[in-house]
Amino acid sequence: NNNNNNNNNNNNNNLNLKEKIQNFVSESSQIGDERPLSACAFSADSNLLATGSWSGICCIWDAHDCKQIQTLRGHKERVHGIAFHPQSGLELSKNSNANIATCSADSNILLWSLENSTIGATLSGHQDRVNRVAFHPSGRYLASTSNDLTWRLWDIETMSELLQQEGHSRAPYALAFQSDGSLIVTAGLDAIGRVWDLRSGKTIYVMKGHVKQILALDFSPNGYHIASGSEDHTIRIWDLRRRKAIHILPAHSHLISTVRYQPYYGEFLLSASYDNTCKLWTCSDWVAQRSLGGHEGKIMSADISNDSKRIITAGYDRTWKLWKSK
């Protein structure tokens, strides 16, 4: 009987999850800039969201009433990545310069506070455009990928470069930390993903299988699954324990710009694509439960709030859209 009860519980959980996913409704659409939007992210407390644009400008918005709070001017070229500190809005003081990190084609990484709109700090060292930034789960470190063929690890407290890694034959683009902070995965234009042990700085697993460049990565909260999204229109789910891709999803009809696991639980995956749609997949069976449309152009970036109640998408059509679970 126990088995039957477990099966019933699982079925109920799956039904609840599918219902929750299907209940995402369009809540707001805002013009974010005069140029295409290239990046977006939620703060750790889910109360703020940030957008970055090809104009070089980043904006901070209230995630509830969608009003603009700050304009961050500092980058001289297109913004490619934006990330909130994992304690932003929680333990981290608003006036800390580590609340937000942004990166750009101008080769710089800029750090910002939530108190004012002046540059808090500049991390320089990359010799070419910086593609993505991600905070280490501890909040002490920041990682970045660049067209200079390196990815780097920075100490946010001392504002110094700790690690400079090469290993990709073409530019590394996407990156993601494992939730306990011991591993990082990078991937890029060489169509290969690499999982690195941060303690030794060595590659411990090479992800081979995509036939075109990899532009999106995320670690599942379980710590051993990785999702990768590629220009070959597929998402691959990799299992670090079995050291292979366990699922290949023909996900979209154009390149995949974002993959994002539901924070903490990892029960669903968000994918965004240049086919102008986002999809929500249940991770138990890898079925697309929902497609989010509405953008008049390619979706450049997307994120899920930590409370799982909201999704933001940022588009080439210069708008960002907010989706809320009823």
Side-chain angles (χ1 to χ4, degrees), residues 46-252:
S46 306
N47 288 328
L48 298 176
L49 50 91
T51 56
S53 162
W54 278 10
S55 66
I57 295 170
C58 298
C59 296
I60 312 298
W61 312 78
D62 184 302
H64 304 286
D65 66 15
C66 299
K67 289 195 163 64
Q68 189 175 334
I69 300 170
Q70 276 174 276
T71 305
L72 310 179
R73 299 172 196 273
H75 286 297
K76 297 177 182 66
E77 293 188 46
R78 296 177 179 186
V79 172
H80 284 293
I82 197 161
F84 275 96
H85 187 283
Q87 290 297 326
S88 184
L90 302 169
E91 304 282 308
L92 191 68
S93 154
K94 273 185 121 171
N95 61 15
S96 161
N97 285 335
N99 269 282
I100 301 168
T102 59
C103 67
S104 160
D106 64 14
S107 308
N108 284 331
I109 299 161
L110 300 181
L111 298 174
W112 310 83
S113 84
L114 293 172
E115 287 283 288
N116 60 57
S117 298
T118 55
I119 298 168
T122 303
L123 300 175
S124 49
H126 279 298
Q127 303 300 308
D128 203 336
R129 81 177 214 190
V130 186
N131 291 318
R132 293 286 184 268
V133 281
F135 276 97
H136 186 269
S138 69
R140 171 84 197 255
Y141 312 107
L142 184 79
S144 56
T145 54
S146 167
N147 275 20
D148 66 10
L149 301 188
T150 70
W151 68 268
R152 303 185 192 211
L153 191 68
W154 310 81
D155 186 316
I156 291 303
E157 286 176 24
T158 63
M159 297 295 169
S160 57
E161 185 185 295
L162 293 177
L163 197 62
Q164 179 180 330
Q165 290 295 127
E166 295 180 10
H168 289 281
S169 61
R170 294 180 64 197
Y173 198 85
L175 78 169
F177 281 105
Q178 189 188 34
S179 51
D180 75 358
S182 60
L183 303 176
I184 187 172
V185 58
T186 59
L189 310 193
D190 60 4
I192 288 171
R194 289 180 175 271
V195 181
W196 308 76
D197 183 327
L198 281 170
R199 288 158 294 206
S200 68
K202 291 191 166 67
T203 300
I204 60 162
Y205 177 56
V206 178
M207 296 153 44
K208 283 186 179 168
H210 281 295
V211 294
K212 289 191 176 172
Q213 53 197 21
I214 299 170
L215 301 169
L217 285 171
D218 202 21
F219 247 109
S220 166
N222 69 21
Y224 54 84
H225 285 154
I226 296 169
S228 60
S230 165
E231 198 191 354
D232 65 16
H233 307 181
T234 70
I235 294 170
R236 285 177 182 248
I237 308 298
W238 309 80
D239 188 322
L240 284 184
R241 301 168 308 176
R242 293 160 67 185
R243 301 181 79 80
K244 65 176 190 179
I246 52 169
H247 297 287
I248 302 169
L249 311 176
H252 288 275

